Amino acid sequence: MPSPVHELSLCVCLCLGSLNTAIMSERRSSVVEPSFDAGRIEAPVTWKAYLICAFASFGGIFFGYDSSYINGVSGSSMFIQMVEGPEATALTSSNSSLVVSILSAGTFFGALIGGDMAEWIGRKWTVIFGCMIYMVGVVIQMCTGLGDDALGLIVAGRLVAGFGVGFESAIVILYMSEIVRSKIISGSR
């Protein structure tokens, strides 16, 4: 299920697109009439369409999951001792801020890159590539306890995962709007 921000952005895009279409149609003629019957052209909604949308909506789930699990990790005594040292009882505020916020920085840059990538290789492959980037970031985060530099690994892993989340956040909503029937978008039956 897309986040409220994704739903709002879809509504804004659809409203602006409808407004633009109405303005262009108004310029051509005073009466706006549909040029085709959407029901005759499009395929019926099947379980496959619902399944595609369910898997595509994981873009929003990635961001929520990754943002929420770091709360438990940053409070773990084992993680605190790996980052700050064996005698530490809490993360310093600068390390805590870095670990928590670096995902958002990666998401920002991933969303910027994701739009161009979607135009280059297509929406579906960008979503798949974003998932692969996210998986690489998660594997790097899982390796946090293996080396001496736990802070470096968790930050690098969250940054890479953020790129994947940015790809997903920017492109999933476009992909879902392209595969959904126009009858569902416009609300006509």
Side-chain angles (χ1 to χ4, degrees), residues 76-115:
S76 166
S77 61
M78 180 189 291
F79 179 74
I80 292 169
Q81 291 169 0
M82 282 191 291
V83 172
E84 299 293 340
E87 302 299 319
T89 58
L91 288 174
T92 62
S93 62
S94 61
N95 285 347
S96 178
S97 297
L98 177 63
V99 168
V100 171
S101 64
I102 196 72
L103 178 81
S104 297
T107 301
F108 173 76
F109 290 109
L112 286 178
I113 296 168

Side-chain angles (χ1 to χ4, degrees), residues 7-156:
E7 290 176 1
L8 179 63
S9 63
L10 176 63
C11 290
V12 169
C13 290
L14 292 175
C15 289
L16 290 176
S18 299
L19 179 63
N20 187 29
T21 303
I23 290 170
M24 295 304 290
S25 298
E26 187 66 30
R27 288 182 186 165
R28 284 188 224 123
S29 67
S30 60
V31 178
V32 178
E33 295 180 20
S35 60
F36 63 91
D37 180 14
R40 292 186 316 168
I41 294 174
E42 296 186 34
V45 177
T46 63
W47 63 271
K48 183 179 177 183
Y50 287 112
L51 197 61
I52 289 171
C53 286
F55 282 114
S57 66
F58 271 90
I61 292 171
F62 285 163
F63 186 76
Y65 173 77
D66 212 272
S67 296
S68 64
Y69 98 89
I70 198 63
N71 186 30
V73 170
S74 61
S76 166
S77 61
M78 180 189 291
F79 179 74
I80 292 169
Q81 291 169 0
M82 282 191 291
V83 172
E84 299 293 340
E87 302 299 319
T89 58
L91 288 174
T92 62
S93 62
S94 61
N95 285 347
S96 178
S97 297
L98 177 63
V99 168
V100 171
S101 64
I102 196 72
L103 178 81
S104 297
T107 301
F108 173 76
F109 290 109
L112 286 178
I113 296 168
D116 290 333
M117 172 109 16
E119 291 298 318
W120 186 46
I121 64 172
R123 312 273 193 261
K124 178 177 78 170
W125 290 108
T126 304
V127 169
I128 292 169
F129 189 62
C131 288
M132 288 189 286
I133 291 173
Y134 181 77
M135 288 189 298
V136 169
V138 169
V139 168
I140 293 171
Q141 290 178 64
M142 288 170 38
C143 295
T144 298
L146 299 179
D148 292 335
D149 188 19
L151 181 64
L153 280 174
I154 193 75
V155 168

